[in-house]
Amino acid sequence: MIARITMVVTLSAMLAACNLRQLYAGGTTGVVARELGNVEIEPIAGKAGWLTRNALKDQLEAFEGQEAKYRLTVILDDKIAGFGVRSDDRITRERRTLRARYQLVRVTDSVVVLDATAGSDAGIDVVSSEFATVAAEDTALENLATRVANQIVTRLSLFARTEANAPPEP
């Protein structure tokens, strides 16, 4: 019993030593939430852009800020490629890929403070019904847009935490 207690105390000390901190500490009044609330999302072209922008807005709406300190620009690349081929040259499987290059620009001086990429892909079965295949492609796009938006918001959150802990510029 004493050995178990000693092990728990030791593991707790090791966990505290690794400098693990909550990203959204303070909830909607925390530093990260306040910074995320100051991000304005520019329109993104195309259906994939509309879906991605809505997914970003859904996630960032919880952090409503007073003013736009940052502008988020996103450029998407949406591709579908067939890769499962039968002996009669019919495609049986597709891969849909959604990649995003995004930049976070400080509004006051138009400096790019974050330039990064995000992306995800999904496999789609091509079936005899064209309607079912198109529906699967659309569902895949919706899921990919949500995943890419999640990646972007996570990266913005890490940036916001870093900015909040950075010393002020002279």
Side-chain angles (χ1 to χ4, degrees), residues 37-162:
N38 295 326
V39 175
E40 173 189 328
I41 307 163
E42 287 193 346
I44 309 169
K47 181 178 181 178
W50 181 80
L51 290 167
T52 304
R53 185 170 191 268
N54 283 343
L56 285 166
K57 285 173 56 176
D58 288 346
Q59 292 184 44
L60 294 176
E61 269 183 358
F63 310 114
E64 285 294 322
Q66 302 298 327
E67 61 184 83
K69 287 174 52 179
Y70 301 102
R71 183 177 64 249
L72 179 65
T73 59
V74 181
I75 298 172
L76 294 175
D77 182 26
D78 177 27
K79 292 183 180 172
I80 299 178
F83 67 90
V85 182
R86 289 180 159 178
S87 59
D88 63 352
D89 289 334
R90 289 189 53 209
I91 295 173
T92 60
R93 190 107 171 114
E94 293 177 334
R95 177 180 178 184
R96 186 161 205 162
T97 307
L98 185 63
R99 301 279 180 251
R101 174 157 187 233
Y102 58 97
Q103 293 181 327
L104 190 64
V105 179
R106 192 170 35 228
V107 173
T108 56
D109 54 6
S110 298
V111 170
V112 175
V113 294
L114 177 64
D115 188 351
T117 59
S120 190
D121 63 343
I124 302 164
D125 287 328
V126 177
V127 295
S128 59
S129 167
E130 188 175 329
F131 175 78
T133 302
V134 170
E137 290 171 351
D138 285 345
T139 300
L141 181 59
E142 291 170 13
N143 293 335
L144 292 173
T146 301
R147 283 188 220 146
V148 167
N150 288 342
Q151 292 175 21
I152 293 172
V153 170
T154 300
R155 183 62 181 92
L156 292 177
S157 300
L158 292 171
F159 169 79
R161 183 178 70 187
T162 303

Side-chain angles (χ1 to χ4, degrees), residues 22-34 63:
Q22 291 180 343
L23 183 58
Y24 297 107
T28 57
T29 60
V31 176
V32 172
R34 284 194 309 257
F63 310 114

Side-chain angles (χ1 to χ4, degrees), residues 6-20:
T6 304
M7 186 174 73
V8 169
V9 170
T10 303
L11 291 174
S12 297
M14 288 173 51
L15 185 60
C18 77
N19 203 16
L20 190 63

